[in-house]
Amino acid sequence: MTPRQALDDLIREREETYAAVSRLLGRNTAYIQQYIKRGTPARLDQSDIAQLALHFDVPAKLLGGKESPSTPRRSVITVPVIEAKGLEIAQERSRIVDEAWLRRLCNRPAGLAILPIAGEAMQPTLQNGDEVIIQRLRSHDALQDGLYAVRGSSETFVRRIALDPTKNRISVLTDHPAYPSWNGVQRKAINVVGRVIWIGSQVS
């Protein structure tokens, strides 16, 4: 079995997607699909192979890497994926993510969720097909100016929040001028789900 075939089998067995594994490597979403289906690149970088070996918990040699006495094990966390309406690609319900990497982002990995971006309302900051990781808000967490996931009537989306502490109101803003913003609304009228702590671009 070739390293290419082995990787394809692992992705199918774990019910992951080519795009998700590409993002794990910090590559564009088509990278792994092109490697497996088109043979481009001809072989993966050793750093990519090492990361994939850790992710799938297999020897690096299986994926075309250099043989080593042992492959270190790591702890992983299953992070839920919030459904984003309007995306044409298949969406996962959850994703396995390296715990050590998550703990570098925050000290509360249990409160995290992945939200794919659909639409153009937050361009140029966020593009259609990007992903963000959000830290879910607890009842006592205070808002700050920044990017947040907001729950609407039928979907969850990212918006920029600006505070007006003197009036206990907030503005919910888009970054694209063609899309409407909500200015000076009462805080309790907006269902803020969580704060954006990481942005994953579809473009490498």
Side-chain angles (χ1 to χ4, degrees):
M1 179 183 295
T2 67
R4 190 173 283 106
Q5 292 171 330
L7 178 57
D8 195 24
D9 288 347
L10 286 169
I11 292 172
R12 294 176 186 277
E13 289 171 3
R14 308 294 173 85
E15 297 184 346
E16 299 202 32
T17 65
Y18 296 142
V21 175
S22 297
R23 292 191 188 99
L24 174 72
L25 301 177
R27 304 281 189 168
N28 69 74
T29 53
Y31 181 74
I32 289 298
Q33 183 176 18
Q34 290 175 346
Y35 167 70
I36 291 175
K37 300 298 185 181
R38 301 182 183 178
T40 303
R43 59 180 58 85
L44 297 175
D45 292 342
Q46 288 297 317
S47 59
D48 287 344
I49 292 173
Q51 191 166 357
L52 289 170
L54 284 173
H55 180 68
F56 290 110
D57 195 16
V58 297
K61 186 178 180 181
L62 179 68
L63 302 176
K66 297 178 180 178
E67 186 173 7
S68 57
S70 63
T71 300
R73 294 182 178 271
R74 65 177 186 173
S75 178
V76 296
I77 292 178
T78 300
V79 180
V81 178
I82 300 173
E83 181 182 3
K85 293 187 176 181
L87 288 180
E88 297 180 356
I89 61 174
Q91 297 181 51
E92 309 144 285
R93 294 183 178 180
S94 63
R95 188 169 313 153
I96 296 174
V97 184
D98 178 46
E99 181 178 8
W101 182 78
L102 286 177
R103 290 193 180 280
R104 291 196 292 269
L105 294 179
C106 68
N107 57 9
R108 190 165 53 91
L112 300 180
I114 297 170
L115 174 60
I117 301 301
E120 303 174 345
M122 292 305 293
Q123 289 184 0
T125 306
L126 299 171
Q127 306 291 331
N128 185 68
D130 287 352
E131 290 184 339
V132 299
I133 294 179
I134 65 169
Q135 176 80 72
R136 294 184 184 275
L137 294 183
R138 296 169 293 189
S139 59
H140 61 275
D141 288 337
L143 290 182
Q144 302 175 355
D145 291 349
L147 295 176
Y148 286 83
V150 176
R151 177 68 181 174
S153 58
S154 61
E155 61 182 316
T156 302
F157 45 84
V158 172
R159 292 293 185 268
R160 189 175 302 280
I161 286 182
L163 305 184
D164 185 353
T166 61
K167 298 180 180 179
N168 194 29
R169 291 178 177 269
I170 64 175
S171 293
V172 183
L173 311 172
T174 60
D175 283 2
H176 195 302
Y179 290 81
S181 297
W182 309 326
N183 294 298
V185 297
Q186 292 185 350
R187 165 66 183 90
K188 63 182 180 181
I190 304 298
N191 184 2
V192 181
V193 178
R195 180 174 60 90
V196 174
I197 62 172
W198 179 84
I199 296 173
S201 174
Q202 64 174 332
V203 180
S204 61

